[in-house]
Amino acid sequence: GAGVSQSPRYKVAKRGQDVALRCDPISGHVSLFWYQQALGQGPEFLTYFQNEAQLDKSGLPSDRFFAERPEGSVSTLKIQRTQQEDSAVYLCASSSRTSGFYNEQFFGPGTRLTVL
Amino acid sequence: AQSVAQPEDQVNVAEGNPLTVKCTYSVSGNPYLFWYVQYPNRGLQFLLKYITGDNLVKGSYGFEAEFNKSQTSFHLKKPSALVSDSALYFCAAAGGATNKLIFGTGTLLAVQP
């Protein structure tokens, strides 16, 4: 497909379980972002990758959150020992940055995580 | 700290009438502003952006936005609303060296037939 894809689309976890969320960005896009969108709120920045380098992880809410992009394409957001407050939609976005610094970001459909 | 405000949780408009969705921002340095639309169970879709140049920016689906530096606003507009425009609209500002987006809380646009 031509767009950003995310899997799974829905994830239900019991409190204390570990989860892994996958993002496939648009092919060739250098930049990749993760955002967290709580119910009724706007997305909030979690972390940013330029190729395989994680340049900004200032938005990760705790050390239970970990993200990687080892080959500069697919990215995984991992949440360890999930808590109820982790319930949200996790959005992935990619950007080309080839024709200007403030290129628009293209978003995936998100993964809705529910922690019971 | 940079922030974006959308003062209206919901905007109601009749089909065929003009619509405005309000956004104000607080950023350091030059503002780089975006509008996105979110349909149910779908990702955010880019509508338009202001980086520099003309204060009136034209985007997808007939939408436009007016940048006003003195009022620190970036309101989204459309001359004639369609029922299919009903969705959740987010204003955002790009901030920091990494171009991360800072979003407002969103405005639900409801267009009545």
Side-chain angles (χ1 to χ4, degrees), chain A residues 21-96:
Chain A
L21 312 180
R22 177 187 169 105
C23 172
D24 285 82
I26 293 173
S27 178
H29 275 196
V30 170
S31 295
L32 187 145
F33 300 81
W34 283 98
Y35 294 87
Q36 179 190 59
Q37 186 175 17
L39 189 64
Q41 300 296 317
E44 292 191 356
F45 170 79
L46 292 176
T47 188
Y48 165 71
F49 289 86
Q50 182 174 307
N51 296 308
E52 69 278 5
Q54 188 175 20
L55 299 186
D56 188 348
K57 51 183 181 179
S58 62
L60 296 176
S62 78
D63 59 7
R64 297 186 294 104
F65 286 71
F66 171 76
E68 59 183 6
R69 194 186 185 198
E71 297 179 356
S73 55
V74 171
S75 177
T76 303
L77 176 66
K78 297 179 179 178
I79 309 173
Q80 298 177 326
R81 304 180 305 280
T82 53
Q83 303 294 317
Q84 285 188 323
E85 60 263 28
D86 300 335
S87 296
V89 175
Y90 291 85
L91 297 170
C92 176
S94 69
S95 174
S96 65

Side-chain angles (χ1 to χ4, degrees), chain B residues 2 31 37 42 46 48-49 67 69 79 90 102 106:
Chain B
Q2 302 187 114
V37 59
R42 294 174 63 180
F46 169 77
L48 50 79
K49 66 180 177 183
F67 171 70
K69 187 174 183 178
F90 288 97
I102 300 152

Side-chain angles (χ1 to χ4, degrees), chain A residues 95-109:
Chain A
S95 174
S96 65
R97 290 182 64 135
T98 57
S99 59
F101 187 66
Y102 290 99
N103 287 345
E104 57 268 30
Q105 297 176 23
F106 295 87
F107 283 80

Side-chain angles (χ1 to χ4, degrees), chain B residues 67-94:
Chain B
F67 171 70
N68 188 316
K69 187 174 183 178
S70 63
Q71 297 184 5
T72 62
S73 67
F74 188 56
H75 300 333
L76 182 69
K77 300 182 179 184
K78 188 174 183 181
S80 178
L82 300 173
V83 172
S84 58
D85 292 331
S86 299
L88 188 56
Y89 290 80
F90 288 97
C91 181

Side-chain angles (χ1 to χ4, degrees), chain A residues 2-15:
Chain A
V4 178
S5 61
Q6 292 185 246
S7 60
R9 291 292 311 276
Y10 302 91
K11 177 69 178 178
V12 178
K14 292 183 179 179
R15 190 173 56 181

